Amino acid sequence: MMKNVLGVLLLFTAGILPIRAQQINLDPVTVSTSILEKRASETGRNLTVIRGEDLRNLPVSSIDEILRYLPGLEIQARGPMGAQSDIVLRGGTFQQVLVVLDGLRLNDPTTGHFNSYIPISPSEISRIEILKGASSSIYGSEAVGGVVSVITKTFESSSKADESFLEGGLAAGQYGLWNGQLGGYLHKDKLRVSGGILSNNASGQELRGTKGYFHNHTASVSARYQLAANTHVAYRASFDRRDFAAQNFYTAFVSDTATEKVTGWWQQLEIGHTGKSSALTLKAGLKSAVDEYLYNPVSVANKNTSGLGQLLLTWSRQWSDHTDFVAGVNYQQRKIRSNDRGNHEIQQVAPFVAASHRIGNLNIHPSLRLDWRESSSAELVPQLNLSYKLASWQLRASVGKTIRDPDFTERFNNYNKKLVTGGSVGNPDLVPEKSLSYEVGFDYFHNTNWKISATGFQRHQRDLIDYVPTSFADMPRKENLSPTGSFALAENIARVVTRGVEADLQYQYAWNKKNRLNGMLGITLLDSEQSVAKPSFYLSSHAKLLVNTSVSYKTGRFFGSLNGLYKKREPRQENALLTRVEKTYFVLNAQAGLDVIVDKLSLFIQVDNLTDKRYSDLLGATMPGRWWRAGIKFRY
């Protein structure tokens, strides 16, 4: 197995040759670390930035598949091509990573299982920023393992003048697969407009007595208008629907033949004014989602309607050439209406401040947030980031506190049903998770064409929430529970210490317009120690060794790309389901194509899971074997 991994690493190494290349910037301006515009090398954080155009020819069909091969990100997929995936960073659970779209949080108040449903098309992505480590002092709850920030072409602060394109593709393949994508962008004078449609459909491979079908669709449109030289307004509306087989996504019972439909709407508004040395921005977001989950044909479907409303007001000022300051306040309203979890609503208000000060080559970034939640006490969340820039090197260190609030599923799952015969049960007495994180590391930039990063980190966590097998006699509330049932209760069960090291490599070469090479590689080693021996479902599910890699190459009319993923983790097995979580697995996806019209129209063939590996990221949810397709792409 490791020979396969080494083969991919050698493929990457072959690209790092002493060749003459056009310069491509791997040290861009970012706002993800503190809402202050700074170069990535000045932030004091391990930050990976991937441009949208570098993702265009990778063998992926959905945004969660894009994330799966980015350095250091662990995507625990339950189904293919956007059905459902959990996002993990630095060994945190799927609830401990925050997803942000153009500055506003996307995490669903019902469950973190929906956080990978990013409601845009791939063609709208300007860049993806992966911020690893503690980030709650700016972003609040869930920013424990890190933040996945997606910035689109319409909402980004700067873009190429008078640029426009239309691109898309259509493919068909095995198991009734067909997928299509269409997207475009227009920048003319004061107006920017972008939008797109993404659709993935298949009857699916055989599961236990059914098929792993999916019908996943996303449609989005956005516009930005420059009202004056220093004032702009931007707006987005999106629709997202996922309809898929969900067998054993959440349980390990043989009777589980579930199906699920998740329908979401997203609206986003931004108004900004920039002065000579200050800027004021108001962002507003409204998210609603309807989740319909049917455990099996004879059960009653769970129907959950959730809502997330938010406002983010920020004011920033440049005090001098060496000092910047930002202050803001974030308001959130989370609510749910459910036949399973009941009706609940929570308000939250959080003011925050951050600063950046440079002394010679030393950059200091303190930040502080006060998080007040209606359901629990207020939390003060501080953080300090340091970076020292020396020629092509950045040395960095960070220490920060993080928090994570329980969601509505953890609090109230199966609380409103008349009779519960088994499964996960919520606990309204849960308290927020808290942790303290430390990290040190370095970045090395070579000729702006390649970047090497290495980081060591440690996170001390307490009151971590997970589901624990619990007998009927020990359940705190028994009113609607069957005495013969088998239950898992949500509890604050553990203190967990997570230690790890990560190394990332990015490189990009362009000999000319016809010859380009892009590559990424991430290696993460993790170890977590729990203070209790209670068996739990998610706390130990992360990979102990994670290697994710992608490479794409174009020369003349030919292009090809590979994505590789290797995991080593704790094995698990469920004999009744004849399924298991393997100790190790390696998956390789490949794509090759030929331009019919150079850089405008191409034909391609793609094979997922090239070696036909049988594997699961989470117990019971078996991922597909080898799966091929062929199609066309165009861009004008």
Side-chain angles (χ1 to χ4, degrees):
M1 188 64 65
M2 281 304 296
K3 290 181 179 178
N4 293 329
V5 180
L6 291 173
V8 173
L9 299 186
L10 289 173
L11 178 62
F12 268 84
T13 305
I16 308 176
L17 299 172
I19 57 179
R20 187 173 181 178
Q22 295 179 359
Q23 290 197 346
I24 304 173
N25 189 15
L26 288 175
D27 186 20
V29 171
T30 176
V31 296
S32 292
T33 56
S34 64
I35 314 183
L36 291 166
E37 287 199 349
K38 291 291 176 186
R39 288 238 169 246
S41 61
E42 298 172 347
T43 62
R45 304 301 307 275
N46 189 5
L47 181 69
T48 301
V49 182
I50 298 94
R51 303 179 305 168
E53 60 195 85
D54 296 334
L55 306 170
R56 189 175 299 130
N57 287 323
L58 293 181
V60 294
S61 302
S62 61
I63 292 181
D64 64 325
E65 288 185 341
I66 291 174
L67 299 177
R68 195 178 190 200
Y69 301 99
L70 300 187
L73 266 180
E74 182 183 2
I75 302 300
Q76 297 178 342
R78 286 183 167 85
M81 304 182 203
Q84 191 178 106
S85 296
D86 295 342
I87 305 174
V88 174
L89 264 171
R90 289 188 173 177
T93 68
F94 68 96
Q95 297 280 34
Q96 293 181 335
V97 176
L98 182 65
V99 181
V100 173
L101 175 61
D102 290 320
L104 290 181
R105 55 191 299 131
L106 283 179
N107 284 30
D108 194 273
T110 300
T111 173
H113 293 312
F114 303 156
N115 292 347
S116 63
Y117 297 165
I118 300 174
I120 58 171
S121 69
S123 63
E124 297 177 79
I125 298 173
S126 173
R127 64 186 187 276
I128 299 175
E129 300 182 354
I130 311 300
L131 173 58
K132 300 173 186 177
S135 307
S136 287
S137 64
I138 293 295
Y139 291 102
S141 177
E142 288 113 281
V144 179
V147 176
V148 177
S149 179
V150 180
I151 296 94
T152 63
K153 294 178 172 68
T154 305
F155 275 73
E156 68 178 337
S157 59
S158 61
S159 68
K160 296 178 181 178
D162 295 336
E163 178 191 26
S164 62
F165 67 82
L166 180 68
E167 66 180 12
L170 187 65
Q174 287 177 287
Y175 310 107
L177 170 69
W178 70 269
N179 56 37
Q181 177 186 339
L182 180 66
Y185 174 70
L186 170 67
H187 184 181
K188 187 68 174 178
D189 298 328
K190 298 179 180 181
L191 177 67
R192 299 187 216 166
V193 180
S194 70
I197 299 172
L198 175 65
S199 182
N200 289 309
N201 307 267
S203 56
Q205 297 190 18
E206 291 292 334
L207 300 177
R208 192 184 67 257
T210 185
K211 287 188 175 182
Y213 76 88
F214 54 86
H215 303 286
N216 304 323
H217 318 291
T218 302
S220 173
V221 63
S222 61
R224 174 186 175 120
Y225 188 75
Q226 202 71 27
L227 297 171
N230 53 3
T231 305
H232 74 271
V233 59
Y235 174 76
R236 165 177 289 111
S238 302
F239 171 79
D240 189 271
R241 181 175 175 84
R242 319 277 170 138
D243 179 358
F244 50 89
Q247 184 178 93
N248 295 121
F249 275 23
Y250 314 114
T251 80
F253 301 142
V254 177
S255 57
D256 182 348
T257 58
T259 61
E260 190 163 9
K261 298 177 183 177
V262 184
T263 305
W265 296 265
W266 171 258
Q267 296 183 77
Q268 184 169 356
L269 175 68
E270 177 179 304
I271 301 173
H273 177 81
T274 303
K276 185 177 180 180
S277 58
S278 64
L280 182 66
T281 305
L282 175 65
K283 299 182 180 183
L286 185 62
K287 177 181 180 178
S288 60
V290 179
D291 171 37
E292 299 175 85
Y293 173 79
L294 184 65
Y295 177 77
N296 60 33
V298 298
S299 64
V300 176
N302 292 346
K303 185 172 182 179
N304 310 302
T305 301
S306 63
L308 171 63
Q310 56 188 310
L311 293 171
L312 177 62
L313 179 66
T314 58
W315 174 78
S316 61
R317 180 177 177 82
Q318 183 178 11
W319 293 108
S320 69
D321 292 339
H322 303 285
T323 306
D324 298 304
F325 175 82
V326 63
V329 61
N330 178 218
Y331 167 77
Q332 298 175 46
Q333 179 195 59
R334 308 178 191 182
K335 59 183 179 181
I336 188 173
R337 301 289 181 267
S338 171
N339 65 339
D340 171 69
R341 295 156 177 79
N343 301 336
H344 309 278
E345 186 173 311
I346 296 173
Q347 314 285 331
Q348 181 173 339
V349 178
F352 60 89
V353 293
S356 173
H357 182 66
R358 188 176 75 252
I359 305 173
N361 291 331
L362 177 66
N363 290 278
I364 305 171
H365 303 271
S367 53
L368 182 67
R369 180 182 176 109
L370 178 63
D371 232 306
W372 177 85
R373 289 96 79 200
E374 190 176 5
S375 59
S376 57
S377 59
E379 289 286 344
L380 198 62
V381 186
Q383 183 151 337
L384 177 64
N385 307 324
L386 302 173
S387 69
Y388 186 80
K389 191 75 164 56
L390 183 62
S392 299
W393 294 83
Q394 177 197 202
L395 307 178
R396 45 184 168 76
S398 177
V399 57
K401 177 182 177 180
T402 61
I403 55 175
R404 206 275 286 181
D405 297 325
D407 60 33
F408 287 128
T409 296
E410 291 169 322
R411 286 191 174 110
F412 304 110
N413 192 51
N414 277 326
Y415 229 67
N416 207 44
K417 284 186 175 179
K418 291 183 179 180
L419 178 65
V420 178
T421 58
S424 309
V425 177
N427 182 354
D429 296 325
L430 294 172
V431 300
E433 300 175 349
K434 303 176 184 66
S435 64
L436 188 61
S437 296
Y438 312 86
E439 66 177 81
V440 293
F442 72 85
D443 303 308
Y444 175 70
F445 300 88
H446 180 69
N447 292 337
T448 72
N449 293 114
W450 55 288
K451 172 188 173 185
I452 299 174
S453 301
T455 308
F457 56 88
Q458 185 168 262
R459 184 169 66 247
H460 294 260
Q461 306 170 93
R462 59 188 174 95
D463 294 324
L464 260 68
I465 300 167
D466 206 348
Y467 293 97
V468 179
T470 306
S471 67
F472 173 81
D474 293 330
M475 294 295 286
R477 176 182 178 272
K478 303 179 176 67
E479 283 85 343
N480 64 339
L481 305 183
S482 169
T484 60
S486 177
F487 305 103
L489 178 67
E491 291 190 66
N492 293 103
I493 66 167
R495 290 178 178 267
V496 177
V497 178
T498 300
R499 302 178 179 90
V501 293
E502 59 195 11
D504 304 337
L505 168 67
Q506 282 181 272
Y507 63 92
Q508 301 176 342
Y509 286 113
W511 291 270
N512 49 52
K513 291 183 178 180
K514 295 183 179 181
N515 294 275
R516 298 188 297 271
L517 176 66
N518 297 315
M520 295 177 285
L521 170 68
I523 302 174
T524 306
L525 286 164
L526 283 168
D527 180 59
S528 294
E529 296 178 5
Q530 290 186 214
S531 61
V532 295
K534 289 184 178 181
S536 57
F537 196 74
Y538 292 111
L539 292 186
S540 60
S541 68
H542 67 77
K544 293 187 173 183
L545 170 60
L546 174 68
V547 180
N548 31 21
T549 180
S550 67
V551 62
S552 62
Y553 179 66
K554 182 173 176 60
T555 176
R557 292 179 179 268
F558 172 81
F559 63 88
S561 56
L562 290 171
N563 286 337
L565 177 67
Y566 175 82
K567 286 187 185 183
K568 181 178 180 180
R569 64 267 172 90
E570 287 292 336
R572 295 183 65 187
Q573 186 159 341
E574 179 56 57
N575 293 327
L577 294 177
L578 300 178
T579 188
R580 62 184 179 180
V581 170
E582 301 82 357
K583 184 176 181 179
T584 64
Y585 76 77
F586 177 69
V587 173
L588 187 66
N589 298 344
Q591 183 184 105
L594 182 69
D595 284 352
V596 178
I597 303 174
V598 177
D599 292 332
K600 291 185 177 181
L601 180 65
S602 59
L603 305 176
F604 73 93
I605 185 168
Q606 178 175 324
V607 183
D608 292 349
N609 196 353
L610 193 62
T611 60
D612 200 24
K613 174 67 178 178
R614 180 178 173 85
Y615 73 101
S616 300
D617 278 329
L618 292 166
L619 188 64
T622 302
M623 291 294 289
R626 185 186 296 116
W627 201 336
W628 69 263
R629 76 206 67 169
I632 62 172
K633 299 179 183 181
F634 71 87
R635 180 179 174 88
Y636 292 101

